[in-house]
Amino acid sequence: MEIKGVIHDIFNTQVISEKFKKREFILKTTESTDKGVFENYLKLELTQDKCSLLDDFYRNAQVEVSINLKGRKYEKNGNIMYFNTLSAWRIKNI
């Protein structure tokens, strides 16, 4: 899936463990409806070797981002929780 928008913010790479790292960024998108224009701020993440993809980008850059939607079920002590992730794997200027 591709999403077009403007890079609103870029965060530093987080090293979670020896085998896992991630880097998050905020993509601002706009949606036009008959009731007006609405802004959305989506937190996307890059993982592992993809973290360096953001090195060539800056705030306010207009981009197209390829993403995968991921969802996980987590159960602990009889409680079930669900988590969603917007996982980016390609970014290009538009």
Side-chain angles (χ1 to χ4, degrees):
M1 168 184 281
E2 281 73 39
I3 301 174
K4 293 180 181 178
V6 174
I7 294 177
H8 179 72
D9 208 351
I10 298 174
F11 303 106
N12 293 327
T13 299
Q14 301 172 357
V15 178
I16 306 301
S17 72
E18 289 180 15
K19 297 181 181 181
F20 184 74
K21 63 182 177 177
K22 71 177 183 175
R23 190 170 186 188
E24 297 173 328
F25 65 105
I26 306 298
L27 186 71
K28 182 175 101 173
T29 64
T30 56
E31 178 181 355
S32 295
T33 69
D34 57 343
K35 296 182 181 181
V37 177
F38 298 93
E39 295 178 340
N40 295 299
Y41 293 86
L42 306 173
K43 182 168 70 171
L44 306 171
E45 77 174 23
L46 298 153
T47 58
Q48 304 304 79
D49 61 328
K50 300 292 185 189
C51 292
S52 62
L53 290 178
L54 278 173
D55 292 346
D56 296 330
F57 292 93
Y58 53 90
R59 292 180 68 180
N60 299 318
Q62 292 187 357
V63 296
E64 180 178 270
V65 182
S66 298
I67 65 165
N68 291 328
L69 303 174
K70 296 182 179 182
R72 293 180 303 283
K73 179 181 175 181
Y74 177 73
E75 187 172 348
K76 183 176 181 179
N77 300 327
N79 295 318
I80 298 174
M81 295 180 284
Y82 298 92
F83 298 93
N84 296 312
T85 303
L86 302 174
S87 182
W89 53 274
R90 179 175 56 201
I91 306 170
K92 63 181 182 179
N93 286 306
I94 54 173

